[in-house]
Amino acid sequence: MTLPALVSAVVITRGVQRLFWLSATLVTGMALIMTVSRGAFVAVTVAGACAVVMFRRYAPPGRLVAVAVGMAFAAIIVATLAFALGFGDLVYQRVVVGSSGDLGSTSSGRTEIWANALEVMMEHPLSFITGFGWRAYYVMPFRFAPHNHYLNQWFNLGITGLACSLLLFALPIRAAKAAITRASAAT
């Protein structure tokens, strides 16, 4: 979650401060790679692309290209460090080998967990709207944690809980866009 703010700090600072924020970005990137979370890798890639599209009119194209090249270079450094520290085989196993099987094994069994939760919801169709109640998933006889924040919110709190979780992403993006519009008008 801190990676976008760190990248912003690298872009807007100079000198020793930039080195500090660049180091923090590299350490955060290493921590991300060490989680070996395919979902996190996809999320960072998609979020970066969305940010470029959303804020493209506020930065000169040359600056965007320079930042993209810099981030690609930083990603290569982070990946090289991760492989040098012995995480290469783990990343290979999770991303390449783990992605070549059926959907259940590719998702580490999570699709089965999600299917079980949705099956219980299907037995009680009103639960799609109302949910089962605060933290109800954990008192039901499920064997594993839901491994999906949004499904967990939907299962427990219904459409209201799911909407609130989605608003936690939408409202800060809206506020950032409004703030950058005001900042651009002021300069």
Side-chain angles (χ1 to χ4, degrees):
M1 296 276 304
T2 61
L3 202 53
L6 292 171
V7 170
S8 298
V10 170
V11 171
I12 64 173
T13 57
R14 301 279 177 252
V16 175
Q17 285 182 330
R18 178 176 273 182
L19 289 175
F20 172 79
W21 291 116
L22 182 59
S23 299
T25 303
L26 293 175
V27 168
T28 302
M30 282 292 297
L32 180 71
I33 287 178
M34 289 173 15
T35 66
V36 196
S37 169
R38 293 172 292 206
F41 300 158
V42 170
V44 166
T45 304
V46 170
C50 287
V52 168
V53 169
M54 279 193 288
F55 298 110
R56 69 186 176 278
R57 64 181 159 183
Y58 302 109
R63 180 77 169 161
L64 287 176
V65 169
V67 169
V69 168
M71 292 314 302
F73 184 67
I76 290 169
I77 290 172
V78 166
T80 302
L81 284 172
F83 279 73
L85 292 173
F87 287 94
D89 188 51
L90 180 61
V91 171
Y92 176 78
Q93 290 296 321
R94 284 279 293 158
V95 175
V96 177
V97 175
S99 299
S100 59
D102 64 293
L103 186 58
S105 63
T106 298
S107 70
S108 302
R110 290 182 178 133
T111 52
E112 185 179 333
I113 294 168
W114 302 336
N116 290 338
L118 290 171
E119 184 179 322
V120 170
M121 290 179 81
M122 292 288 267
E123 292 171 5
H124 308 278
L126 190 59
S127 68
F128 285 103
I129 298 168
T130 64
F132 286 102
W134 185 255
R135 295 188 56 83
Y137 183 91
Y138 296 100
V139 297
M140 290 187 158
F142 293 115
R143 186 171 175 194
F144 299 108
H147 290 287
N148 184 309
H149 173 77
Y150 304 102
L151 178 62
N152 187 36
Q153 294 297 354
W154 191 19
F155 186 91
N156 291 323
L157 304 174
I159 291 292
T160 304
L162 179 61
C164 288
S165 289
L166 294 173
L167 283 173
L168 287 174
F169 284 104
L171 293 178
I173 291 170
R174 188 172 132 199
K177 288 179 83 172
I180 199 165
T181 301
R182 277 185 253 129
S184 294
T187 55

